[in-house]
Amino acid sequence: MDENHREIRGFFARYLRSTDFADNEDVFAAGRMNSLFAVQLVLFVEKQFAVTVGSEDLDMRNFRSVDAVGDFVRRKRGALVATTAPTSQGHSH
Amino acid sequence: MSDKIKCVIWDLDNTLWDGIIAEGDSVEFRHEARRLVEEFDRRGILQSVASKNDREPALDTVARFGVAEYFLYPQVGWWPKSESVARIAKYLDIHLSAVCLIDDDPFERDEAASGCPGLRTFDSRRLEELDLVDALIPSVITPDGSQRRLMYQSEIRRKEAEEASNTTNAQFLNDLGMVLSITNVSEGDLDRAEELTVRTHQLNTTGRSYSREELEGFSKSPDHRLLVASLEDRYGTYGKVGLILLHCDPDTWTIQLLLTSCRVISRGIGGILLHWLAVAAKTRGVRLQGEFVPNDRNRIMWITYHFANFRAVPGSTDAVILENDLKQLLPPPDFISLRVADSLRSEFGEGIIHDDLADSPTTC
């Protein structure tokens, strides 16, 4: 997960052109980012982490901070493991 | 597609002027060449230079003759001409089949043509024939054809500023002072509107394209509104970059098409137009829906719809119907101001975005 975190933070930093932001900072609320960044972020997450962002996931709450994106990716990956290999992996929720 | 030429590339020695500067000639600008450069610019054809020369003295000479402003991305150096031509086409994002090279040297013409499939070449010793070449006469000549070149020049300055900027992406957009103007599509906009639907795939909510005649029909239909959005900022105009086809029932507005030019893909125009429509629909007391036909290219618009609070209406099939319940309007984007045409205000309002800016949209 550390690797993911680094990549997500890197993506935020490239847009913010700064590393001066907290992992839990809501970059949209702070006005440091606009809705346009959200679209780019979705495309990045799909490509980088090979997860599918479904319509139900297209909610700002999943993308507003480095932590939020990290949690989202973890959740999607967990679901992926649970659905593709239900017997060997057991069920996480 | 048409076989019209969108970009003319000029050789310099013995083409634009008589004589060879590298041999110390005192060169003389060809009268006919100057007339054509001005004429092509008026027709909205872009122009550049490809010359084997030392860069400084060649470009100084171009400037001395007072025509430097006409040429975008001039390529002067001792590499093959095919490389120069390919580079210009790439920078301008124009297909090689819409480019021509004017050169006096048959070897250079052949080298460029063989290295650049589709390139057309003309012999500059027969300049006087070029006036009547059909491919160099655009099907539509707008009153201000030079606008096209100016648009590219402002984009070049804008890109340079963006690369040099060390502020955040959001701050850079803020600093651009962008103004988006929304108007009804008029007679003179129909060709551009058609071009937008034909050329825009990635940022097109239905993937549909429409002919000029169809669009003209919508622009006159009492049940439809056909709107066009133009963007400008402190560097100049981007031209007409967005199109909305809205079907208006008394109780429901349906966005049958929303598209924005790929040139403004990083400007968030789609989301801003959706926000404006949501505010207008809510003010008007009508429901707001959007048709969406997913394909393998337009996912960005799907995401844009969702971040603008549109959700699929259950049961909708191949053309998905999305609806914004208008219960909660998002905060307006603050990096762009809207200017709504007077003729649209009674029906659509001003979008309440920066309502203090409605009358003086260029103040930041």
Side-chain angles (χ1 to χ4, degrees):
Chain A
M1 282 312 145
D2 278 350
E3 179 68 9
N4 287 0
H5 175 263
R6 206 171 52 81
E7 283 170 7
I8 296 166
R9 223 187 128 77
F11 188 80
F12 274 68
R14 276 201 297 287
Y15 272 79
L16 290 166
R17 299 198 189 190
S18 159
T19 51
D20 180 24
F21 59 96
D23 286 344
N24 63 359
E25 179 177 341
D26 182 339
V27 293
F28 297 99
R32 296 180 74 171
M33 278 300 163
N34 52 55
S35 52
L36 177 60
F37 172 66
V39 176
Q40 306 295 333
L41 188 53
V42 170
L43 299 176
F44 164 77
V45 164
E46 288 191 325
K47 186 159 173 271
Q48 193 70 31
F49 304 113
V51 298
T52 307
V53 180
S55 307
E56 68 284 358
D57 304 320
L58 291 172
D59 186 316
M60 220 48 124
R61 275 172 295 195
N62 289 325
F63 298 97
R64 59 173 45 147
S65 67
V66 173
D67 282 346
V69 175
D71 289 346
F72 173 73
V73 169
R74 211 167 302 133
R75 248 181 3 255
K76 290 305 267 191
R77 287 229 167 134
L80 198 68
V81 169
T83 50
T84 52
T87 48
S88 62
Q89 295 291 324
H91 290 277
S92 56
H93 44 282
Chain B
M1 287 302 280
S2 98
D3 66 340
K4 298 295 182 190
I5 288 168
K6 293 179 179 164
C7 174
V8 168
I9 300 175
W10 294 85
D11 168 47
L12 295 179
D13 292 326
N14 286 331
T15 291
L16 213 49
W17 52 64
D18 286 320
I20 298 176
I21 49 174
E23 293 176 2
D25 294 354
S26 116
V27 299
E28 201 163 315
F29 209 88
R30 295 177 69 188
H31 176 74
E32 187 61 12
R34 179 186 298 276
R35 198 187 59 75
L36 280 172
V37 166
E38 289 167 1
E39 173 63 17
F40 290 155
D41 191 62
R42 194 185 66 78
R43 293 180 189 177
I45 297 172
L46 303 175
Q47 299 178 84
S48 187
V49 161
S51 166
K52 283 186 177 169
N53 252 313
D54 288 328
R55 188 173 169 87
E56 293 286 315
L59 290 182
D60 285 351
T61 309
V62 171
R64 187 157 54 81
F65 287 125
V67 289
E69 64 183 25
Y70 291 108
F71 303 118
L72 302 166
Y73 302 109
Q75 300 295 310
V76 182
W78 295 101
W79 49 79
K81 234 164 230 198
S82 55
E83 280 179 26
S84 293
V85 170
R87 211 173 294 148
I88 292 163
K90 179 166 167 265
Y91 290 150
L92 295 175
D93 196 18
I94 289 177
H95 197 269
L96 283 169
S97 62
V99 177
C100 81
L101 171 70
I102 303 177
D103 202 305
D104 63 301
D105 186 334
F107 170 81
E108 298 292 0
R109 293 199 301 269
D110 287 348
E111 189 280 324
S114 70
C116 298
L119 176 75
R120 277 169 277 184
T121 60
F122 292 108
D123 184 347
S124 60
R125 283 165 304 183
R126 294 155 61 184
L127 281 188
E128 62 288 348
E129 293 170 20
L130 283 182
D131 241 348
L132 297 173
V133 171
D134 184 61
L136 287 165
I137 303 173
S139 38
V140 183
I141 300 182
T142 53
D144 189 9
S146 316
Q147 194 66 27
R148 204 169 145 66
R149 163 175 55 90
L150 295 172
M151 230 160 65
Y152 275 85
Q153 283 168 331
S154 52
E155 180 62 16
I156 292 168
R157 287 197 303 276
R158 193 179 288 122
K159 277 219 174 96
E160 284 168 0
E162 186 163 10
E163 274 157 27
S165 147
N166 54 9
T167 61
T168 67
N169 185 273
Q171 186 61 44
F172 178 77
L173 289 180
N174 260 322
D175 293 347
L176 285 176
M178 289 188 287
V179 179
L180 188 68
S181 304
I182 306 172
T183 59
N184 276 304
V185 165
S186 65
E187 183 78 29
D189 301 326
L190 287 170
D191 286 296
R192 173 59 180 156
E194 178 190 18
E195 183 183 49
L196 276 171
T197 75
V198 171
R199 289 181 53 170
T200 309
H201 305 288
Q202 215 181 344
L203 302 179
N204 179 329
T205 53
T206 62
R208 292 183 200 126
S209 52
Y210 295 94
S211 68
R212 188 185 200 280
E213 290 69 31
E214 287 173 299
L215 292 169
E216 186 170 19
F218 289 131
S219 73
K220 292 178 175 160
S221 152
D223 300 329
H224 290 86
R225 301 291 176 275
L226 186 62
L227 310 174
V228 65
S230 320
L231 184 66
E232 61 184 288
D233 66 18
R234 54 191 288 210
Y235 292 98
T237 181
Y238 298 71
K240 299 189 167 62
V241 295
L243 196 67
I244 299 171
L245 175 61
L246 194 67
H247 182 266
C248 299
D249 267 347
D251 62 345
T252 306
W253 286 354
T254 307
I255 305 162
Q256 295 184 325
L257 176 72
L258 168 68
L259 68 78
T260 62
S261 161
C262 291
R263 285 196 295 114
V264 291
I265 194 164
S266 59
R267 295 291 183 265
I269 304 303
I272 288 154
L273 292 173
L274 286 177
H275 183 267
W276 173 67
L277 285 170
V279 172
K282 184 160 187 163
T283 312
R284 188 86 181 167
V286 296
R287 295 171 66 181
L288 182 62
Q289 299 191 331
E291 284 178 15
F292 191 88
V293 183
N295 58 44
D296 55 358
R297 313 217 10 215
N298 65 0
R299 184 157 164 75
I300 287 184
M301 287 313 240
W302 178 253
I303 299 170
T304 302
Y305 255 130
H306 281 79
F307 280 136
N309 270 354
F310 284 74
R311 294 292 177 269
V313 173
S316 57
T317 51
D318 49 327
V320 180
I321 303 293
L322 299 160
E323 177 157 359
N324 184 330
D325 65 16
L326 305 176
K327 284 190 182 128
Q328 195 190 355
L329 292 181
L330 299 166
D334 58 358
F335 56 98
I336 194 157
S337 17
L338 275 189
R339 182 194 288 164
V340 180
D342 290 343
S343 58
L344 292 175
R345 286 201 187 171
S346 62
E347 190 169 17
F348 293 90
E350 289 159 11
I352 66 166
I353 300 174
H354 299 311
D355 42 16
D356 54 323
L357 287 173
D359 293 322
S360 53
T362 45
T363 29
C364 289

